[in-house]
Amino acid sequence: MIYFVTSNKGKYAEAQAIFGDLIQRDIGYAEIQADTLEEVAACGMKEVAARLQEPVMLEDAGLFVEALQGFPGVYSAYVQKTIGNAGILRLMQGIERRNAFFKSVVAYAEPGMQPVMFTGEVHGQIGFEARGKKGFGYDPIFYRGNVSLAEMDLVEKNKISHRAASMRALKKWLDSR
Ligand code: IMP
């Protein structure tokens, strides 16, 4: 049984669809200020592994907007909490180049084991308006073609998402041991 340390119900639901058996642990951990998601995840895992004596997984994700030089990137949670989707749309006003991607880094460790990490990305565009009520976070403004991630149900999002890719890679690794 794996314990997924997250307070985000949306992330948990997406992960559960991939892993089946999975327990959410909403215990919180320090998210350091760093330049990469990998550093944030590795540091979080160090803290979590020291506190929990069980197989644990955590995940750090971010939205990287090409025309904004990768912003909000590692600051995605703070930016979502502050200026939100409306703020990103405002920053993108008048900008033609709308390419963006989500990246997910998942870290996994068992007691006495060095953590392993897997990554996943999904590439798309920042739309011109927020659309859809499903998903969470930046989903309403992130589009694949004419459809935002918030217009997709969980099964559809999990076919293409950054999180589904990183977690499937972890699952494959676990299954191959
Ligand atoms: P964190 O991985 O929880 O630190 O997420 C960083 C920020 O990106 C949060 O505001 C999340 O809501 C947002 N985020 C992470 N994954 C997704 C996603 O799959 N869709 C939309 N927003 C996401």
Side-chain angles (χ1 to χ4, degrees):
M1 187 58 77
I2 298 174
Y3 293 82
F4 183 19
V5 181
T6 181
S7 58
N8 184 322
K9 286 201 185 92
K11 277 190 183 186
Y12 174 67
E14 289 174 18
Q16 203 187 25
I18 288 164
F19 282 93
D21 281 348
L22 194 65
I23 296 172
Q24 182 178 9
R25 276 266 200 227
D26 187 0
I27 59 165
Y29 56 91
E31 287 202 19
I32 58 157
Q33 196 172 332
D35 290 342
T36 65
L37 297 175
E38 282 86 350
E39 288 170 85
V40 179
C43 192
M45 181 50 90
K46 226 180 242 172
E47 178 187 330
V48 164
R51 284 164 64 193
L52 301 178
Q53 292 304 307
E54 50 210 13
V56 282
M57 169 171 100
L58 59 82
E59 191 246 9
D60 200 47
L63 173 70
F64 296 78
V65 182
E66 201 179 283
L68 304 177
Q69 282 76 46
F71 182 82
V74 291
Y75 307 108
S76 293
Y78 182 75
V79 169
Q80 178 62 224
K81 262 186 274 170
T82 52
I83 63 172
N85 290 340
I88 295 289
L89 290 178
R90 257 195 316 277
L91 288 174
M92 292 298 285
Q93 254 169 26
I95 297 177
E96 292 272 303
R97 194 157 56 102
R98 320 271 314 175
N99 297 344
F101 66 93
F102 278 112
K103 179 171 175 178
S104 158
V105 176
V106 63
Y108 173 83
E110 293 166 7
M113 181 193 119
Q114 275 293 105
V116 287
M117 279 203 265
F118 298 89
T119 65
E121 291 183 8
V122 58
H123 290 250
Q125 291 82 36
I126 301 300
F128 291 92
E129 58 173 5
R131 240 167 47 190
K133 299 239 176 298
K134 296 168 193 156
F136 62 93
Y138 297 100
D139 282 345
I141 61 166
F142 187 91
Y143 285 65
R144 296 265 295 180
N146 291 325
V147 184
S148 83
L149 288 188
E151 294 178 305
M152 298 181 187
D153 60 30
L154 193 148
V155 172
E156 283 176 277
K157 184 177 171 186
N158 264 0
K159 280 184 194 155
I160 56 160
S161 88
H162 51 309
R163 178 162 307 104
S166 64
M167 292 198 171
R168 281 208 189 90
L170 168 59
K171 187 165 188 303
K172 196 169 161 200
W173 181 83
L174 289 167
D175 291 346
S176 71
R177 288 192 303 173

